[in-house]
């Protein structure tokens, strides 16, 4: 850990700078989950413990409760860092980092794509890094463009699903020093590409966070699908919707590397909110294109729990999780979350977003829940763990902000495992925007703070972070600023 608090610049920017949700309310008191759901089983005592960590002179803090060690169960044995010291203000006004770290701007919206296909699209979102030959790295980056998107993903023959849609992905190839060797369109004509996830066979699954059908907003085809993207040769994957994986407001996916089952989150904006799904492919672990063979889509049912936000005690565990077949995965007339799942119903949750596989379990994030919007209870972020072998669901972490909205700690969105053995979490809340780390010991520290003001000097606003991921060798953290669309490569003493 760097103990230096010197304010000297700690990085170089490769390019000059260029030019959120409603306010949060404190969580109301809720009856215990045991009182509301007496059929639940607890694996251990669910006593809440509050942990508050601060990062030196910057004073950035986060409050959360839960057994953070559970997030890393079965993962690499690295102990994790306790942080890297206070954030040093960036003289170029792009990205604050701890002393000893540097960033490089890889790509910015509005610049020319190296391929000559058009401009770098706007709204940089989910992203993953893949190993290439001769030490190269392939980045695949989502662009969450709606019909109002400022800069669309250019349409390219063989890579375009719906010419009327402005979303999609771009792909960058980097050398071992993070120099950009190429940048091109990877898929076009999709809509609202939010997150997704990598597959064990080295492709990216990009997710549409919309349910718009043909004829809506000028679209010529139905949307709300997952698409597979080859990171180095996109024409091998094309622009083929994986229809059996469901048509809904997709957010992220995670693949069980043992079974090939794909877990999917749904970020539905209105009550009854989204579901947590699993897809059982006909050809599990079949490689590029295998998911086109179809499979069975199911939604998670926690018996007796219609809304996960009602569970407030970390450590609360439910055994005997059920999976119900989705009646109509294409949602031809009714959105999946509103379909009839029988007398037992189905379990919903607000703002289901990040999703990743770790060890023997899948983890997924509910970024927040607001009772005034229809949730059963309020929270500022939850992380859940599902163990398929035990059919067990556990509430691992509950996030909550400190008293100042400039501090990190609310609405966790994109999450990834860090090479140090901890987590990196992109914050999607109000005020200053951070990437913050969580160590195995439960310590929380600010890793980066966005400095690109998209508001005014009197009322500043900052674009959220998204798509945090690491190079295959763990030497570089890649992360996007959503607005203005900017992709950073961060190196230092990881």
């Amino acid at each position: 850990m760097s103990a230096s608090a010197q304010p000297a610049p700690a990085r170089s920017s490769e390019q000059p700078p260029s030019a959120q949700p409603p306010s949060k309310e404190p969580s109301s008191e809720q009856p215990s989950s045991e009182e509301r759901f007496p059929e639940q089983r607890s694996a251990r005592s669910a006593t809440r413990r509050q942990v508050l960590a601060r990062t030196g002179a910057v004073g950035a803090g986060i409050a959360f409760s839960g057994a953070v060690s559970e997030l890393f169960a079965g993962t690499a044995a690295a102990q994790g860092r306790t942080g890297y010291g206070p954030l040093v203000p960036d003289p170029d006004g792009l990205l604050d980092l701890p002393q000893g770290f540097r960033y490089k701007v890889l790509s910015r919206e509005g610049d020319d794509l190296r391929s000559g296909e058009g401009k770098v699209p706007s709204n940089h979102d989910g992203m993953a890094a893949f190993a290439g030959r001769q030490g190269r790295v392939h980045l695949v980056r989502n662009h969450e463009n709606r019909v109002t998107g400022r800069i669309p993903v250019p349409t390219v023959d063989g890579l375009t699903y719906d010419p009327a849609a402005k979303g999609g992905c771009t792909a960058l190839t980097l050398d071992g020093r993070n120099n950009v060797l190429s940048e091109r369109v990877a898929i076009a004509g999709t809509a609202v590409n939010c997150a997704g996830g990598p597959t064990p066979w080295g492709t990216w699954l990009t997710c549409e966070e919309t349910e718009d059908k043909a004829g809506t907003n000028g679209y010529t085809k139905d949307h709300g699908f997952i698409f597979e993207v080859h990171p180095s040769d996109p024409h091998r994957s094309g622009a083929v919707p994986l229809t059996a994986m469901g048509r809904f407001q997709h957010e992220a996916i995670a693949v069980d590397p043992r079974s090939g089952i794909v877990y999917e989150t749904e970020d539905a904006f209105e009550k009854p909110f989204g579901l947590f799904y699993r897809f059982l492919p006909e050809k599990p672990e079949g490689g590029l294109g295998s998911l086109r063979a179809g499979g069975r889509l199911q939604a998670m049912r926690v018996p007796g729990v219609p809304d996960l936000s009602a569970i407030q005690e970390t450590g609360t565990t439910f055994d005997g999780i059920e999976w119900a077949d989705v009646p109509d995965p294409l949602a031809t007339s009714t959105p999946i979350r509103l379909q009839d799942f029988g007398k037992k119903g189905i379990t919903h949750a607000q703002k289901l977003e990040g999703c990743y596989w770790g060890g023997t379990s899948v983890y997924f994030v509910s970024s927040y829940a607001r009772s005034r919007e229809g949730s059963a209870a309020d929270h500022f972020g939850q992380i859940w763990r599902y163990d398929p072998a035990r059919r067990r669901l556990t509430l691992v972490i509950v996030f909550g902000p400190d008293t100042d909205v400039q501090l990190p700690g609310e609405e966790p969105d994109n999450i990834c495992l860090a090479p140090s053995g901890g987590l990196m979490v992109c914050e999607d809340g109000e005020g200053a925007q951070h990437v913050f780390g969580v160590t195995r010991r439960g310590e929380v520290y600010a890793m980066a703070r966005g400095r690109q003001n998209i508001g005014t000097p009197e009322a500043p606003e900052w674009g959220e972070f998204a798509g945090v991921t690491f190079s295959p060798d763990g030497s570089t953290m890649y992360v996007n600023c959503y607005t203005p669309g900017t992709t950073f490569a961060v190196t230092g003493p990881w």
Side-chain angles (χ1 to χ4, degrees):
M1 173 180 176
S2 172
S4 172
Q6 297 297 318
R11 84 276 307 140
S12 65
S13 62
E14 301 291 320
Q15 299 182 20
S18 66
Q20 303 276 54
S23 60
K24 313 297 182 296
E25 295 180 359
S27 297
S28 57
E29 289 294 321
Q30 299 292 330
S32 72
S33 51
E34 287 80 7
E35 292 172 331
R36 281 170 289 156
F37 304 107
E39 69 274 30
Q40 78 182 36
R41 297 174 56 191
S42 271
R44 57 175 174 79
S45 172
T47 302
R48 291 175 72 90
R49 62 186 179 95
Q50 293 295 329
V51 182
L52 182 63
R54 296 190 179 275
T55 56
V58 177
I62 170 178
F64 66 91
S65 63
V68 178
S69 60
E70 290 194 33
L71 292 174
F72 312 106
T75 61
Q79 292 301 306
R81 297 290 300 255
T82 57
Y84 299 94
L87 299 179
V88 181
D90 176 16
D92 291 319
L94 292 180
L95 190 68
D96 296 344
L97 296 169
Q99 184 75 22
F101 284 84
R102 305 172 68 87
Y103 70 77
K104 176 182 287 188
V105 174
L106 301 179
S107 174
R108 304 197 70 179
E109 68 169 88
D111 289 349
D112 291 329
L113 287 167
R114 306 264 180 134
S115 62
E117 295 164 323
K119 300 291 185 182
V120 174
S122 52
N123 297 337
H124 295 20
D125 211 319
M127 186 166 62
F130 302 88
R133 296 179 179 178
Q134 300 177 334
R136 294 179 177 180
V137 174
H138 300 291
L139 284 179
V140 182
R141 176 182 62 200
N142 279 2
H143 297 276
E144 196 186 28
N145 282 332
R146 296 170 170 78
V147 291
T148 55
R150 296 180 302 278
I151 306 175
V153 177
T155 56
V156 175
D157 289 344
L159 297 177
T160 302
Y161 170 64
D162 178 357
K166 295 183 176 182
C169 299
T170 50
L172 292 79
T173 299
L174 314 174
D175 67 13
R177 296 184 177 182
N178 290 315
N179 296 310
V180 179
L181 303 178
S182 67
E183 184 179 29
R184 60 177 299 173
V185 172
I187 188 171
T190 54
V192 199
N193 296 70
C194 189
T199 67
W201 51 89
T203 60
W204 171 249
L205 297 183
T206 183
C207 296
E208 292 187 306
E209 192 184 20
T210 180
E211 294 174 320
D212 285 348
K213 303 184 74 172
T216 304
N217 289 320
Y219 293 139
T220 64
K221 295 183 178 181
D222 289 352
H223 290 269
F225 296 114
I226 295 175
F227 296 77
E228 187 170 23
V229 178
H230 193 285
S232 63
D233 187 359
H235 282 279
R236 291 183 59 188
S237 48
V240 181
L242 302 173
T243 55
M245 299 183 77
R247 194 182 72 80
F248 55 87
Q249 290 176 207
H250 289 273
E251 176 76 22
I253 68 95
V255 183
D256 181 343
R258 306 164 304 178
S259 67
I261 293 174
V262 184
Y263 293 90
E264 312 174 27
T265 55
E266 179 182 20
D267 186 9
F269 305 142
E270 297 178 352
K271 189 179 179 180
F273 305 120
L275 310 180
F276 184 59
Y277 300 86
R278 73 176 184 182
F279 177 69
L280 287 66
E282 290 288 342
K283 295 183 177 180
E285 294 287 339
L288 175 65
S290 61
L291 295 173
R292 299 181 192 179
R296 186 168 53 163
L297 184 67
Q298 299 178 319
M300 182 182 72
R301 178 190 291 131
V302 183
V305 183
D307 186 341
L308 287 180
S309 71
I311 310 306
Q312 298 282 297
E313 299 293 335
T314 56
T316 300
T317 295
F318 298 91
D319 289 328
I321 296 301
E322 300 174 358
W323 293 92
D325 288 341
V326 171
D328 177 16
L330 288 177
T332 51
S333 59
T334 304
I336 293 175
R337 62 189 177 279
L338 297 176
Q339 292 177 18
D340 184 2
F341 284 90
K343 293 182 179 180
K344 293 183 178 180
I346 206 69
T347 300
H348 299 261
Q350 190 172 5
K351 292 297 290 182
L352 290 179
E353 299 202 87
C355 187
Y356 76 95
W357 184 267
T360 60
S361 301
V362 62
Y363 298 81
F364 61 95
V365 175
S366 170
S367 287
Y368 64 78
R370 298 172 182 151
S371 56
R372 69 176 184 268
E373 296 176 3
S375 282
D378 298 307
H379 66 71
F380 290 97
Q382 296 177 333
I383 298 181
W384 291 86
R385 177 188 180 193
Y386 175 67
D387 183 341
R390 294 179 173 86
R391 293 174 55 205
R392 174 176 293 172
L393 182 70
T394 302
L395 178 58
V396 178
I397 292 292
V398 175
F399 287 81
D402 202 351
T403 55
D404 188 341
V405 297
Q406 301 299 314
L407 305 180
E410 55 183 324
E411 298 184 22
D413 189 346
N414 174 230
I415 55 179
C416 79
L417 291 170
S420 63
L423 281 181
M424 289 294 170
V425 183
C426 289
E427 183 182 28
D428 183 8
E430 190 176 352
Q433 297 295 306
H434 294 77
V435 176
F436 58 88
V438 183
T439 74
R440 286 175 177 267
R441 292 180 290 272
E443 296 155 316
V444 180
Y445 60 92
M447 184 63 228
R449 178 174 53 223
R451 287 285 303 281
Q452 300 182 84
N453 184 4
I454 58 176
T456 66
E458 296 76 21
E461 297 180 37
W462 296 273
E464 67 186 75
F465 284 111
V468 64
T469 188
F470 280 84
S471 60
D473 67 2
S475 65
T476 304
M477 181 180 79
Y478 303 106
V479 67
N480 291 322
C481 176
Y482 186 88
T483 304
T486 313
T487 299
F488 297 97
V490 178
T491 55
W494 294 109

